[in-house]
Amino acid sequence: MGRHDNDRLQGTLDLLVLKVLASRGRLHGYGITLLVQQISEEELKVEEGSLYPALHRMAQDSLISAEWGTTENNRRARYYEITAAGRQRLQEEEEKWARLTSAVARFLKYA
Amino acid sequence: MPWLDKIRNAFRRSNEELDEELQAHLDMRTDQFLAEGLPPKEARRRAQALFGNTLLQRERARDADVAGWMDALLQDLRYAFRMVRRTPVLTAVIVLSLALGIGANTAFFTLTNALLLKQLPVRSPEQLVRVELGQPGQADWGDAFTNPLWEEFARRQQVASGAFAYSSQSFNAGTKGETRPVTGAIASGHVFETLGIEPEAGRLFTADDDRRGGGPDGPVVVLGYDYWARAYGLDPSVIGRSVPLDGKPYKVIGVTPPRFHGILVGQRFDVMVPLGTETYRTADPKFLDSRTYWMLSLVVRLKPGMTPPAASDRLSAMAPGMMEAAAPQNRTPKMHAEFVANRLRVVPAAHGLTLVPDSFRSAVLLLNGFVALVLLIACANVANLLLARATARAREFTVRMALGASRRRLLRQSLTESLLLALSGAALGLLMAEPAARALVALSGRSRARLEFDLTPDWRVLLFTTGVGVLCGLLFGLAPAWRAARNSLTPRSPGVAGDGRGRLRGSLVALQVALSVVVLVGCGLFVTTWRNLNSARLGFDPTHLVIARVDLGTLEMDQDQRAAAVEEVRRQLQATPGVEAASVSILTPLGRSTWNSMIMAQDGSGNRREHETFYNAVSPGYFQAMGAPLLAGRGIEPGDTKGSTQVAVVNESFVRKILGGGNPIGRTFEEGVDLSSTGYVLRKVQVVGVVRDTAYHTLRKAPPPTMFRALSQARRLPYVSFAVRGPEEVEALQSIVRAAFKSMGDRFSYTLETYPQRLRDETVTERLLAALSTLFGALALGLAGMGLYGVLAYSVAQRSGEIGVRMALGASAGHIRRWILRQSGVTLSAGFAAGVLLALWMAPLAKALLFGIQTSDWRVYAYSLGVLAAIALAASYLPARRATRLNPVQALRHE
């Protein structure tokens, strides 16, 4: 069957991955995991494995590109890089996120 | 292109890259824990725990990579292949029976395609139209024109960017003795220019070459590519050489391209000559000036923007002038007015002009329907086989559903399997189709007029076969697929009746029986027609008889010299040892030509009336040579000369229908003769004898009123046939005739024919229909019998428990047998009733092809019921025996 459209978390995960790739450049899946955990100070915890369906889906949608490379420890790994379409999408997602959070923040403040 | 990646990814069975990527993640995580000082085992465990369910993520990532439908399709196909491998015999039976069915259908479609659908391989064939002539308001318009009409047409018409006249005739390419016939096309000068044909070698003739007696290069001829290959081995040096046609030298100037076979569908020309050279080939000087010699078809390429209706209007407006200018002379005012009232219209001719007799076309279309029925029966059989297998696979489907396969997925899986089978059958059928179509054409040709078609498969044939394959797959796949998808999760206990499967399969068999009835009825009608034609009364003795046809038109002699020459040859033939009787006549029975005469005669009550009668002119000894007994009076005798009393022998129906019965000897009537010297005159003719009715030009019509005039008093002598009778069989007699002609110095070129051959040619379509409908009938019967057997055997196996109980409770073997027979009887009668209705509804389609039998003849229906009942009995025998031999204890224990 088609893709598994998860809940909102999926969208959030996409956003984080795109953001990390946009700011840090070329990374493999494990590297992305580490950075996401590091930056979000272990606040956003998901199964590490769920990163991969997201990566593959975004690669198929041409938001990111993938190629095989070697890590500093001389291990073969698949490296991801953000594409122009990915940057475009990131910008849209960031704006959407900002609108959503500010709306939720306003609600929490005044409700 | 992501979607292409997705499809490509679907073909990778295991996604090694994905596995490697996930493993790399786990390894790096493990390394990190190891660096933190955890023991290896614990490090790996924690890495795995953090990662979560590897399998699930792997599947999800793969889903993102591949096109779902493609993946499922490949899975289905792989699965289907596995099923095919597991049941090789069943698969072979199914694929082969489908290949036969689809192959036969494709073969007939190939023929239909060549006959009706393929366009001429010329420039923009859709602009081509042919011209027809007829009376407004009447149904049958003719497409034949005289040369004067064509010349008027060419001079006056303003609708065409190109136009030509076309005709076809057999030429003799030999020099002496027995003829070597080639198919000749005769066309006016603009033919190649109008069609847009470029030469393969040399040049093609033009309007310059189309002059009376030949153009600047004299009489020229263009060769067809096939003939160039066959007769000259593609030798280019033949161009410029001179070849004889009907004894006259023609200069070869070029060859047409391989794809161009002329404009007549069903015939390929060997040689093509300009119309103008006809005055050179035939010695008949009036040939091109005759206003009553209807031999030309007119083909026109319409000007750009000119539609056929507009062209018809324009042509009809110019028709009166054209008709007036080329009307036959010396006609009564009424006939003249009728002629001038003719109008013109155009009909699309993109597919060429058809030379194929209507009967052959209807036969092909009808047999098309037959093979479609047989394919339907085969589909029903395959559906039955698959249904039986679906039952055997019920457990498998239940398991798959329990594991979470959706109904839709099972339906699709089942259909994929059917389509795989159907398309394999179609591919195999396509391979068989072309040779089969060639064999069909070879079977349908007459000895002197072979049918030639372009049978190479084109996109239409491919599309047809694929379409039929898919349709079959859906047809026979739907029932099992529906079954599979409706499978319930609760297991069924075997041996209990009433799950509805038997009923569905029973109806399929009833359908097979119904369709078989249609095929059998058709078979009965055609076989009877063929037998009727074969036993049709000829009225003469066709054995020990050889006919030698001689074309006199190419000889430079006037009519009296011709008459003297043929009489001389006849006398020498008569004197040859091994010859009992030799005669000469213009026509011989079943020679396919007809001559008519207008006569004025008084019937029994003295009323003078005009009649049209069939005509022949014969020498003394004709009736003896033909073995046609004289009933009264005398035959034509040597004393009947040009100058003596005009005499005729007439046949029985002439006496009955024209003279009104009574003794006709000595009575006179008047014959209308159109002599060039005197114009149309009435000539008094005396009846001197009566001969028994004999077949004239066809077996299908009762002998028409015919008069046999003395050959010495014949109107014209364009050709004659010698009839030679002797005690030898026809093969030996042919040699005697050849030797006799040779000893006379091969004065004439002649063509030998015999009656076995003419009768075979006469019934060629009927023979084809009878043979093929018998073949298809047998096929249909076999398939229906197999279907019935399958259903009965299945029902016995399924109800073994029930039968066991019945037998344990005292049912006799007879009871059980009757029970089985009743079951097959119900299926049979339901199918038969439906089939009879279907056959009665469809039979009128075949009416035109029948002879001596009505479409609703009860005997045909009774015989098909008998045959079907016999087949049903045979199919019931084994299941019935098995049922009565069931051991009750075993059957019950099985449950």
Side-chain angles (χ1 to χ4, degrees):
Chain A
M1 293 288 99
R3 63 183 57 165
H4 297 264
D5 280 316
N6 267 16
D7 43 12
R8 214 168 349 110
L9 196 61
Q10 189 84 61
T12 319
L13 189 58
D14 288 6
L15 177 62
L16 293 182
V17 169
L18 286 175
K19 185 71 191 173
V20 166
L21 286 176
S23 51
R24 299 296 173 89
R26 205 162 159 269
L27 287 170
H28 49 65
Y30 183 61
I32 297 172
T33 314
L34 289 184
L35 276 171
V36 168
Q37 283 170 355
Q38 207 178 324
I39 295 168
S40 62
E41 289 157 353
E42 315 263 327
E43 207 51 52
L44 286 165
K45 255 197 177 146
V46 290
E47 281 186 346
E48 289 175 5
S50 60
L51 176 69
Y52 288 92
L55 281 174
H56 280 251
R57 194 181 60 252
M58 285 193 285
Q60 285 299 336
D61 292 347
S62 301
L63 299 177
I64 57 179
S65 61
E67 61 179 359
W68 287 93
T70 325
T71 68
E72 54 271 31
N73 295 337
N74 228 5
R75 188 187 287 284
R76 245 168 76 79
R78 210 158 136 89
Y79 279 86
Y80 293 91
E81 220 168 343
I82 191 162
T83 64
R87 284 182 198 282
Q88 175 83 32
R89 172 69 64 86
L90 175 62
Q91 203 186 331
E92 290 163 18
E93 292 289 326
E94 273 183 316
E95 282 164 15
K96 225 193 279 178
W97 182 255
R99 275 203 306 277
L100 180 68
T101 45
S102 74
V104 173
R106 267 202 310 280
F107 179 84
L108 292 178
K109 208 166 175 181
Y110 301 112
Chain B
M1 252 182 255
W3 61 270
L4 227 127
D5 278 349
K6 287 186 178 197
I7 288 179
R8 206 169 45 227
N9 284 336
F11 283 93
R12 296 192 188 140
R13 294 185 70 161
S14 64
N15 212 325
E16 284 164 17
E17 289 202 344
L18 180 58
D19 286 342
E20 190 182 346
E21 184 181 12
L22 299 184
Q23 194 56 49
H25 182 112
L26 283 169
D27 289 349
M28 285 190 268
R29 185 54 100 185
T30 311
D31 284 352
Q32 194 205 340
F33 284 133
L34 283 173
E36 286 171 11
L38 285 176
K41 210 171 164 190
E42 180 62 11
R44 251 197 307 281
R45 197 193 62 76
R46 298 220 355 222
Q48 187 68 60
L50 277 175
F51 194 83
N53 186 341
T54 319
L55 257 180
L56 182 66
Q57 303 304 351
R58 182 179 173 280
E59 275 306 297
R60 286 185 177 169
R62 185 174 146 76
D63 274 351
D65 283 349
V66 303
W69 58 270
M70 192 67 194
D71 197 33
L73 177 68
L74 282 175
Q75 265 186 31
D76 286 347
L77 273 179
R78 276 198 289 273
Y79 194 78
F81 272 118
R82 216 173 305 147
M83 286 314 297
V84 161
R85 266 210 309 274
R86 237 172 47 190
T87 50
V89 177
L90 181 73
T91 306
V93 167
I94 291 178
V95 170
L96 262 180
S97 55
L98 286 175
L100 281 174
I102 297 178
N105 274 278
T106 307
F108 274 95
F109 180 76
T110 305
L111 212 55
T112 315
N113 186 29
L115 212 58
L116 303 174
L117 301 177
K118 269 194 185 173
Q119 295 199 328
L120 289 176
V122 301
R123 173 163 48 85
S124 315
E126 67 287 346
Q127 294 174 342
L128 295 178
V129 292
R130 65 189 164 85
V131 186
E132 288 189 339
L133 149 151
Q135 309 276 347
Q138 278 189 1
D140 49 336
W141 285 45
D143 56 0
F145 289 80
T146 63
N147 188 55
L149 275 174
W150 152 243
E151 285 175 355
E152 290 298 325
F153 177 88
R155 193 160 57 236
R156 291 163 191 254
Q157 65 84 15
Q158 286 167 351
V159 299
S161 63
F164 63 91
Y166 196 93
S167 181
S168 157
Q169 207 169 323
S170 180
F171 295 160
N172 172 20
T175 40
K176 254 184 146 191
E178 202 162 352
T179 54
R180 190 162 73 79
V182 294
T183 308
I186 303 161
S188 64
H190 291 289
V191 58
F192 297 114
E193 186 191 320
T194 305
L195 293 175
I197 304 286
E198 298 297 327
E200 178 76 12
R203 70 176 183 93
L204 304 178
F205 64 71
T206 63
D208 274 349
D209 299 294
D210 183 18
R211 306 246 173 88
R212 300 270 169 126
D217 278 344
V220 294
V221 59
V222 166
L223 306 183
Y225 186 91
D226 291 353
Y227 182 67
W228 188 37
R230 198 170 68 232
Y232 300 103
L234 304 180
D235 177 8
S237 77
V238 71
I239 292 163
R241 243 194 269 166
S242 160
V243 297
L245 292 177
D246 285 346
K248 307 280 164 46
Y250 273 76
K251 186 177 169 195
V252 178
I253 55 168
V255 180
T256 55
R259 272 170 60 72
F260 180 67
H261 305 300
I263 60 164
L264 298 175
V265 179
Q267 191 196 66
R268 295 183 176 186
F269 74 90
D270 293 326
V271 298
M272 198 186 294
V273 298
L275 180 60
T277 60
E278 280 299 275
T279 51
Y280 165 74
R281 185 181 65 86
T282 71
D284 207 332
K286 284 181 50 188
F287 200 70
L288 289 182
D289 294 322
S290 164
R291 296 182 169 196
T292 51
Y293 192 60
W294 301 85
M295 67 163 204
L296 297 173
S297 303
L298 306 193
V299 176
V300 161
R301 181 180 293 281
L302 292 178
K303 281 181 183 163
M306 176 70 70
T307 62
S312 295
D313 286 348
R314 297 274 286 271
L315 290 178
S316 270
M318 69 168 231
M322 170 180 156
M323 297 298 155
E324 188 67 55
Q329 291 127 326
N330 306 321
R331 292 283 179 94
T332 60
K334 185 170 152 256
M335 285 163 81
H336 182 79
E338 251 174 40
F339 186 86
V340 174
N342 277 322
R343 292 293 171 266
L344 300 175
R345 70 176 179 201
V346 298
V347 207
H351 304 297
L353 312 187
T354 186
L355 190 84
V356 177
D358 279 348
S359 66
F360 181 69
R361 286 210 307 187
S362 339
V364 166
L365 290 177
L366 209 89
L367 286 169
N368 244 322
F370 260 53
V371 289
L373 286 183
V374 172
L375 183 59
L376 269 180
I377 297 174
C379 278
N381 233 17
V382 173
N384 245 334
L385 287 172
L386 289 183
L387 269 178
R389 199 178 62 168
T391 313
R393 278 169 70 182
R395 182 185 299 275
E396 172 205 327
F397 280 115
T398 312
V399 170
R400 294 184 70 191
M401 275 177 97
L403 286 176
S406 66
R407 282 178 203 279
R408 233 179 65 192
R409 186 64 202 278
L410 285 183
L411 189 83
R412 204 173 53 188
Q413 164 70 51
S414 195
L415 274 183
T416 307
E417 284 182 40
S418 319
L419 284 177
L420 180 71
L421 291 172
L423 289 176
S424 316
L428 210 58
L430 189 63
L431 291 181
M432 309 189 318
E434 207 194 324
R438 283 194 196 292
L440 272 176
V441 170
L443 264 176
S444 340
R446 298 187 163 83
S447 42
R448 298 272 165 207
R450 285 181 48 208
L451 289 172
E452 302 262 16
F453 291 108
D454 183 9
L455 293 175
T456 39
D458 57 0
W459 61 269
R460 281 200 199 85
V461 173
L462 283 177
L463 194 72
F464 174 86
T465 313
T466 317
V468 168
V470 170
L471 203 68
C472 286
L474 290 178
L475 263 181
F476 68 69
L478 270 179
W482 186 65
R483 277 283 168 214
R486 269 188 27 139
N487 223 335
S488 80
L489 276 175
T490 47
R492 217 186 314 273
S493 54
V496 178
D499 65 350
R501 266 159 213 251
R503 221 174 315 141
L504 179 59
R505 300 191 57 198
S507 345
L508 275 174
V509 173
L511 175 73
Q512 286 183 306
V513 171
L515 297 176
S516 305
V517 171
V518 178
V519 178
L520 283 177
V521 165
C523 171
L525 291 175
F526 292 131
V527 170
T528 315
T529 294
W530 185 58
R531 280 204 352 228
N532 286 350
L533 275 177
N534 274 346
S535 57
R537 218 187 62 157
L538 292 174
F540 64 93
D541 177 9
T543 59
H544 303 282
L545 187 59
V546 168
I547 304 293
R549 284 192 304 117
V550 169
D551 186 359
L552 301 175
T554 59
L555 299 176
E556 307 283 350
M557 295 182 196
D558 67 20
Q559 179 159 339
D560 291 341
Q561 290 171 315
R562 289 178 187 183
V566 296
E567 177 57 22
E568 170 69 21
V569 171
R570 184 191 78 81
R571 257 195 243 117
Q572 294 202 29
L573 282 172
Q574 175 83 69
T576 306
V579 172
E580 279 170 4
S583 74
V584 57
S585 55
I586 292 180
L587 303 174
T588 45
L590 307 179
R592 305 196 81 78
S593 321
T594 59
W595 281 40
N596 299 70
S597 255
M598 298 300 294
I599 58 164
M600 298 287 279
Q602 285 184 341
D603 61 18
S605 38
N607 299 319
R608 230 166 89 90
R609 274 233 293 278
E610 195 180 60
H611 299 272
E612 188 165 23
T613 171
F614 282 75
Y615 176 99
N616 197 0
V618 304
S619 74
Y622 173 80
F623 299 106
Q624 288 94 301
M626 295 308 296
L630 276 167
L631 301 176
R634 61 171 179 92
I636 301 296
E637 279 170 6
D640 297 317
T641 60
K642 197 177 177 195
S644 67
T645 317
Q646 301 284 321
V647 293
V649 172
V650 298
N651 69 354
E652 293 167 289
S653 58
F654 188 102
V655 175
R656 204 168 49 244
K657 289 182 184 156
I658 293 179
L659 300 178
N663 178 14
I665 308 296
R667 284 175 63 178
T668 58
F669 59 88
E670 286 164 307
E671 178 191 18
V673 194
D674 189 357
L675 292 173
S676 52
S677 48
T678 54
Y680 188 80
V681 292
L682 286 173
R683 211 155 53 174
K684 194 168 264 190
V685 179
Q686 187 176 38
V687 176
V688 294
V690 179
V691 70
R692 196 206 276 169
D693 277 349
T694 57
Y696 189 79
H697 64 298
T698 171
L699 285 173
R700 293 181 148 262
K701 297 219 171 77
T706 311
M707 62 172 179
F708 300 86
R709 302 273 275 108
L711 193 71
S712 51
Q713 301 169 345
R715 330 197 268 251
R716 292 193 297 129
L717 277 183
Y719 47 78
V720 290
S721 289
F722 293 93
V724 179
R725 174 172 296 281
E728 302 280 353
E729 291 300 323
V730 285
E731 288 76 22
L733 200 56
Q734 275 179 309
S735 314
I736 292 174
V737 172
R738 277 196 198 98
F741 270 103
K742 193 157 192 148
S743 71
M744 289 180 262
D746 277 334
R747 212 163 145 195
F748 298 130
S749 291
Y750 58 92
T751 309
L752 293 188
E753 286 178 13
T754 64
Y755 273 95
Q757 171 204 328
R758 276 192 179 176
L759 289 169
R760 213 167 34 240
D761 287 356
E762 174 75 12
T763 57
V764 65
T765 306
E766 290 76 14
R767 195 181 60 221
L768 185 75
L769 275 171
L772 288 181
S773 64
T774 307
L775 178 73
F776 296 146
L779 220 65
L781 270 181
L783 287 169
M786 264 162 63
L788 189 60
Y789 168 77
V791 166
L792 292 175
Y794 172 76
S795 119
V796 166
Q798 199 190 27
R799 298 197 183 182
S800 55
E802 187 187 330
I803 297 171
V805 172
R806 280 170 187 246
M807 287 178 80
L809 290 177
S812 69
H815 273 117
I816 304 294
R817 247 195 312 270
R818 273 197 296 282
W819 173 67
I820 303 264
L821 283 180
R822 197 164 53 236
Q823 217 184 344
S824 82
V826 166
T827 312
L828 182 72
S829 33
F832 185 76
V836 166
L837 290 180
L838 202 60
L840 280 173
W841 179 62
M842 289 174 73
L845 292 177
K847 202 167 173 186
L849 294 166
L850 300 182
F851 176 75
I853 187 167
Q854 295 297 315
T855 52
S856 54
D857 194 310
W858 63 269
R859 280 166 297 190
V860 171
Y861 292 82
Y863 121 91
S864 31
L865 177 62
V867 173
L868 275 169
I871 289 286
L873 262 180
S876 321
Y877 174 74
L878 275 179
R881 202 175 65 161
R882 194 170 319 138
T884 53
R885 299 213 175 151
L886 268 176
N887 182 340
V889 181
Q890 223 166 31
L892 286 171
R893 195 174 289 152
H894 180 63
E895 189 159 340

